[in-house]
Amino acid sequence: MEVRRDIFQAIADPTRRAIIALIALQAMTPNALAEHFNTSRQAVSKHIKILTECELVKQEQQGREIYYSLEIHKMKEIDEWLDQFRQQWETQFNQLDNLLATLKKQKK
């Protein structure tokens, strides 16, 4: 049975978010990634596997090494989902700004 991974479950884990942040800067090998964590290389590999299954991370063979890098289009999917909330927050902040400006004028 194949497990369908959800990108939001993947980014819920702080270690996976840290891996995403690292490979957003440059492609890295599993060993290079593991050096940044106080855990085994196998544990980091499991996190990378989940990120790969969600298509947040892609792998590329370069000689004998495998490098992992960020799949930007999947990050855009997360951003688009968050955008609906961002618009609501901006509307509410604008309304709050208007209310505070009105209150400030009334105080004068």
Side-chain angles (χ1 to χ4, degrees):
M1 183 175 112
E2 184 179 322
V3 176
R4 170 86 170 100
R5 298 285 185 182
D6 181 271
I7 56 175
F8 296 100
Q9 288 175 326
I11 63 172
D13 184 271
T15 301
R16 291 193 285 271
R17 288 194 307 269
I19 290 170
I20 289 169
L22 286 167
I23 64 172
L25 302 173
Q26 67 180 21
M28 298 178 78
T29 64
N31 285 335
L33 282 166
E35 289 174 8
H36 293 271
F37 301 96
N38 190 16
T39 186
S40 69
R41 184 188 175 294
Q42 289 80 9
V44 171
S45 290
K46 285 182 182 180
H47 287 297
I48 293 170
K49 181 178 186 243
I50 290 169
L51 292 169
T52 303
E53 289 171 355
C54 294
E55 299 175 351
L56 282 167
V57 168
K58 63 182 174 185
Q59 66 181 43
E60 184 180 329
Q61 187 88 30
Q62 292 181 13
R64 292 180 10 186
E65 295 283 353
I66 294 175
Y67 284 83
Y68 290 91
S69 59
L70 191 59
E71 278 287 6
I72 299 298
H73 77 277
K74 275 294 190 177
M75 293 300 291
K76 186 155 181 57
E77 191 177 310
I78 296 166
D79 183 55
E80 288 169 358
W81 184 82
L82 287 171
D83 194 50
Q84 62 186 326
F85 302 104
R86 192 177 297 119
Q87 291 171 9
Q88 290 175 355
W89 298 328
E90 286 175 7
T91 299
Q92 290 175 349
F93 285 135
N94 288 338
Q95 289 172 349
L96 181 59
D97 284 343
N98 293 339
L99 176 63
L100 292 174
T102 301
L103 292 173
K104 192 174 181 180
K105 285 179 187 173
Q106 289 176 351
K107 202 173 188 182
K108 287 183 179 179

